[in-house]
Every structure is written in structure tokens, then in C-alpha cells.
Amino acid sequence: MHILLITPWLTIGGADRVHLDLMRQLTRRGCRFSVVATLPAKHEWRPLFEELTPDVVTLHPTIAPAQQPAFARDLIRSRGIHAVLIGNSQFGYALLPYLRSCCRDVAFLDLLHAVEPRWRDGGYPRLSLDHAAWLDLSITVSRDLRDWMIARGGDPARIEVCYANIDADVWNPALFARAALRRAFGIPPRAPLILVIGRLSSEKRPRLAVRILREVARQGIAFHALIIGDGPERPVLERMLRDPLLLNVRLTGALPEERVREVMAAGDILLLPSAREGIALVLYEAMAMGMVPVVADVGGQRELATPDCGMLIPSSKSEEAAYVAALAGLLRDPARRAAMGAQARRRIVDHFRIDQMGDRMEMLFRRAVERAMGAEHPIPTEGDAARSAVEAIRLARHARDVARLWQVDGYSEDASLSPVRRAVLSVVRSMRQWLRPWYRRLVARDGHPFSRGVVAVRDRVVAWVYAEASGERMERRPPGRRV
């Protein structure tokens, strides 16, 4: 079976980690992969994907937006693709009716992680429901997300759960010398170590994590903590950590996966007060490493962290106090902490191993392929297919132009802009170093009206600067392109 993965980028993050694990598991079972990344990005993890397949394509800037729908169509045909998997790609959903009309015997699936209530009334799960007529199967990483989709009209027969799971042989504390690692990190032998791991952005609520740690320290309870990650909230956290109560709390920045495993082998408790999650991948990792999770009761987290091995904190006005009480109880009771950590690892080993995920994913993909080959399913009309291609081109063009706004060296098409527009673009780019960090920090405020306003201003600037564009015409059908 040959599978095409359509994903926005190949970069550091939980969704891409799941994609890599999925590819590794199905490759071992005889499947082949092609990968298309749809957005302009650095694609830092491209080498990891290329270890699994040589067939990795990044659409920008190689393929002009007007050619991208036909490029995807011809790639499916030329590679003999059996199944297309959409992984968190708005472009992929937009293009779905067009591809379904052109490739009628190909199975189309999507993989869904979490609800995003402040974007499109649910985010990618909502996009999946809106395009359900053209999908053979939707795969969610939690029962909670499946239930959310069914409650909003999703077909239970076409929505299946497959947990992301973890390689418990790799994420295994027995492989590490805990005492030596703690010495290397400067952690006293008997001091409890709390870890906060994840992107430093508003949906992970790292500021809340620091406030919780400060209140625990105020109670006179001894502990050390490491905050591992990077993102737009980092400057704020650095200021917060100047508090004298937080001398034993350090911000490390982002660390490689191997280093994260070492830190977890030295750690005791995971603190994760996220605003939303599907099931955080770091939760699987921490439990496999024998850590006790103290995490937000959001998404499907309760499906993994049960009361015998973790502590779930529901969202409420008093949640900060609840996190503090949970941490204080664990910090004061080393025996309970050790017993819960051991049970956390047993739960992963018994029920959430990576090979179990691989077996189930293979079964679901084969079921979808059989359904696409044998069942009657709706075929988009010619008008639906044309509108789909046009919308995909619009999204691709917008993504390209947003990237062009910050591109210091410019694009060759910029020469076609009027002198006034080139002057504005030059000013924006000259202020890039000052503007872009603030822009990213404001945009990362996760649905806040101010954040939405910043994005609206950006889009107006992009639309005005590139209004004269570059010679590409929006056509009812994109021209053909062979792969």
C-alpha cells in the first residue's frame, strides 16, 4: 500500500511526531509513503521524514500556487497512491473534493488530534466534519474527540479511535543512570524534580505553570523544576523567573528528543496545565518514563492518566489552587509518588505501546482502501471540484504572500509590483528584526481579540501589497502539470 501524507510542514511538534511514528510503523509492515508539505516553512524535521521515504515534496516555493492542485493530482496518479492522509492541513481539506473527483478509487483519510474552539468553530475536527462526504475514514487520537465529532453530526461508522502511543522500549527509565543524570543537571539526590515540557505558547499556559510553582515554593516545600521548550511566551517567563522564590526553577529552552529522555529519567513529576489538548504526546512520554503527571483534565487526557497513576485538574476558577494542592501532596509523599510513577509506566507498557498503534493503523488504512475500492460513495460535481481547486489556490497564494512579507531577499515576482508597493514592502522588511518577534508573540495569544486584529491587519497589508500580482490567474480549473 502506498500512502500520501499531506501536512502543512515538517517541523518540531506533536503532530509531526505522530506522523513520523505512523510512517515508521507502517513502513515496517510493508507500506510506502510519499509526503507533501504545503506551507512555506523551514521544515526542520525534513531529514527525519527523508529517512523513511525519499519522496518528500515541499510545495513552496517550488510549485506555483495555481499549479498546486494539478501537481497533487498528478503525484497521486504517477505514484500509484492507494490512500491519502490529511494531517492538520487546511489546504488538504480545501483540495479534497477536487482530488476525490479526479482519483475516485483512492481512499481519503484524516488524522485528528484536538478541538480548537477559537478557530473555525473547532479547528481541524470541524473541517473534517465539513468535508465528511469526501472522506472514507476519520481517525481521532482519543475517544473524547470522536464523541465530540459524533455529537456534531459525524457518522460513527466512519470515525475511529487510534491512540498515538509510545515506544516503551526507547522511553524506558531503566536505560538511564538516574543519579548520574541528576548530578549532571545540578539536581540534589533527594530533591523532587518537576518538569514543564512543551511549546511556550498560550495554549500550553506556561505562565500558569510558573505561578503554580511560585505558590508551591511560597509554602516552603523544597523542589527543583525545569521548564523545557521555546516559543513566544519565553520573554515573559524569563521575567517571571527573576522572582527570588523561583531560584530552583530553570528555563532550558528547547532540547533534542534524546536530551528530553535524559531529563525525564531524572524527573519525578510532569506539570502540564494546558488550555486544550487531544492527548499530549509528552504525557505518553512522561508516563513511560515513570513520572507522575499532574495535568489538565482536557480532551482525552483522562483516557491515559487514571487516578492510580496521575492527577487530573479540571478547568475552574480555583484550578490554580488545585494544581498547587496536587503538587504539594506529591512532593510531601515520596512513597506515593514512586508508586504512582511505577503504575504510570505499567499502564503504558500494557495498553499504549507503539506496536499496538501500528497494528491498528494498518487495519484502519486497509479498511479505508477496501471501502474506497468497493463501496458507492458521493462523487463531487464538476462545479464542486472547480471551487475546491480555486479555494486551494487561494490558500496557497495567501500562504506564499504572507511568507513573502518577511522574506529579506525578496521574490523575483516583487519586481512586478508598483514603486509604492515595493517601497512599503521594503520598509516592512527593513523592520523585520523588530516587528516579527512582536508579531509572533501577539498572534500566539490564541484567539484573543487583539490577536485576531493583528492577523486581520497583516492580511490587509498582504492583500494590498500583492494586489498587482505576479501574473498568475485564478482559473476555474488549474492547468495540468506532470510529476
Side-chain angles (χ1 to χ4, degrees):
M1 179 166 46
H2 197 155
I3 300 166
L4 170 63
L5 169 64
I6 299 178
T7 184
W9 42 58
L10 312 172
T11 193
I12 302 167
D16 285 290
R17 280 282 306 280
V18 174
H19 292 156
L20 284 167
D21 285 342
L22 169 64
M23 290 175 63
R24 289 188 187 106
Q25 287 297 309
L26 294 191
T27 298
R28 290 170 186 169
R29 289 162 173 78
C31 297
R32 292 175 295 144
F33 277 86
S34 298
V35 178
V36 168
T38 65
L39 291 180
K42 292 181 179 179
H43 304 297
E44 298 96 329
W45 278 10
R46 179 170 183 158
L48 298 180
F49 283 85
E50 289 178 334
E51 289 176 5
L52 301 170
T53 175
D55 197 19
V56 176
V57 178
T58 53
L59 293 183
H60 294 275
T62 311
I63 311 299
Q67 298 296 325
Q68 289 181 16
F71 180 92
R73 176 200 66 201
D74 291 344
L75 189 146
I76 291 171
R77 291 173 175 174
S78 65
R79 303 300 194 266
I81 297 293
H82 301 96
V84 174
L85 176 64
I86 299 172
N88 283 4
S89 171
Q90 188 179 4
F91 175 88
Y93 285 111
L95 197 55
L96 186 51
Y98 172 76
L99 294 179
R100 175 110 258 180
S101 72
C102 301
C103 310
R104 300 188 179 187
D105 293 332
V106 174
F108 290 89
L109 308 87
D110 58 354
L111 179 57
L112 302 160
H113 300 266
V115 174
E116 298 181 55
R118 295 177 178 175
W119 181 60
R120 302 185 68 91
D121 191 29
Y124 294 110
R126 170 56 65 186
L127 282 174
S128 177
L129 291 171
D130 292 344
H131 293 81
W134 320 123
L135 288 164
D136 295 289
L137 192 65
S138 291
I139 303 172
T140 68
V141 299
S142 69
R143 288 195 308 270
D144 178 81
L145 181 50
R146 180 177 187 268
D147 292 344
W148 184 93
M149 295 179 69
I150 291 171
R152 286 155 183 78
D155 181 357
R158 297 200 175 201
I159 307 173
E160 295 282 356
V161 177
C162 183
Y163 294 105
N165 292 8
I166 197 76
D167 189 338
D169 293 331
V170 173
W171 295 87
N172 182 353
L175 301 176
F176 300 88
R178 177 179 167 89
L181 287 170
R182 289 172 73 86
R183 285 194 300 272
F185 296 130
I187 308 299
R190 296 189 179 182
L193 177 59
I194 301 170
L195 302 181
V196 179
I197 305 176
R199 177 170 165 75
L200 304 183
S201 54
S202 58
E203 73 273 11
K204 300 295 184 180
R205 298 203 292 182
R207 298 188 203 186
L208 174 59
V210 173
R211 293 199 303 271
I212 292 165
L213 295 173
R214 182 171 53 203
E215 184 55 35
V216 173
R218 195 187 306 277
Q219 295 183 13
I221 304 172
F223 69 91
H224 283 247
L226 298 176
I227 301 174
I228 301 168
D230 212 337
E233 293 279 271
R234 180 168 181 165
V236 177
L237 298 187
E238 289 172 341
R239 290 194 295 272
M240 294 177 73
L241 291 177
R242 294 172 190 160
D243 189 320
L245 284 171
L246 298 173
L247 292 176
N248 289 335
V249 180
R250 284 181 281 154
L251 176 59
T252 70
L255 296 178
E257 182 179 294
E258 297 77 8
R259 194 66 168 164
V260 171
R261 275 198 292 272
E262 292 179 348
V263 176
M264 284 186 173
D268 299 287
I269 299 169
L270 173 72
L271 174 60
L272 191 70
S274 309
R276 65 174 188 272
E277 297 282 359
I279 300 178
L281 196 59
V282 71
L283 180 54
Y284 287 98
E285 296 166 350
M287 290 177 63
M289 295 299 288
M291 298 179 65
V292 183
V294 179
V295 299
D297 188 4
V298 294
Q301 309 249 86
R302 63 176 42 242
E303 297 167 41
L304 185 59
T306 50
D308 58 338
C309 65
M311 306 189 75
L312 292 151
I313 310 299
S315 177
S316 71
K317 292 181 179 178
S318 60
E319 63 181 336
E320 184 172 330
Y323 278 107
V324 171
L327 285 177
L330 288 170
L331 293 171
R332 289 178 172 134
D333 193 342
R336 179 185 174 213
R337 198 168 65 230
M340 291 180 71
Q343 180 58 31
R345 174 157 176 83
R346 279 195 296 272
R347 181 158 172 74
I348 294 293
V349 171
D350 290 346
H351 302 292
F352 296 96
R353 298 192 315 275
I354 195 70
D355 60 296
Q356 294 168 320
M357 182 270 271
D359 290 341
R360 179 155 176 79
M361 279 291 191
E362 181 184 22
M363 181 271 290
L364 292 175
F365 270 83
R366 295 199 183 281
R367 180 192 299 177
V369 170
E370 290 171 5
R371 178 178 287 165
M373 294 290 289
E376 292 292 331
H377 48 68
I379 299 298
T381 65
E382 185 174 341
D384 288 337
R387 284 188 292 272
S388 165
V390 168
E391 174 62 10
I393 292 169
R394 185 193 68 79
L395 289 170
R397 185 170 289 154
H398 179 70
R400 177 203 62 186
D401 289 345
V402 168
R404 287 170 72 183
L405 190 67
W406 302 109
Q407 186 70 30
V408 174
D409 297 330
Y411 282 62
S412 59
E413 297 96 323
D414 290 347
S416 67
L417 300 176
S418 70
V420 172
R421 285 177 168 82
R422 287 203 305 273
V424 170
L425 194 56
S426 177
V427 170
V428 170
R429 288 173 177 165
S430 68
M431 299 175 67
R432 177 179 185 268
Q433 279 190 315
W434 181 81
L435 280 176
R436 200 169 191 186
W438 282 100
Y439 160 75
R440 285 178 168 172
R441 198 174 306 163
L442 293 170
V443 167
R445 294 186 67 182
D446 193 35
H448 189 280
F450 196 47
S451 169
R452 293 195 293 271
V454 170
V455 172
V457 170
R458 178 205 69 186
D459 289 348
R460 285 182 178 273
V461 171
V462 167
W464 181 80
V465 168
Y466 296 110
E468 317 176 328
S470 53
E472 293 176 354
R473 289 187 303 115
M474 188 79 76
E475 301 186 20
R476 296 298 295 172
R477 280 192 179 278
R481 181 187 181 96
R482 305 309 303 175
V483 179

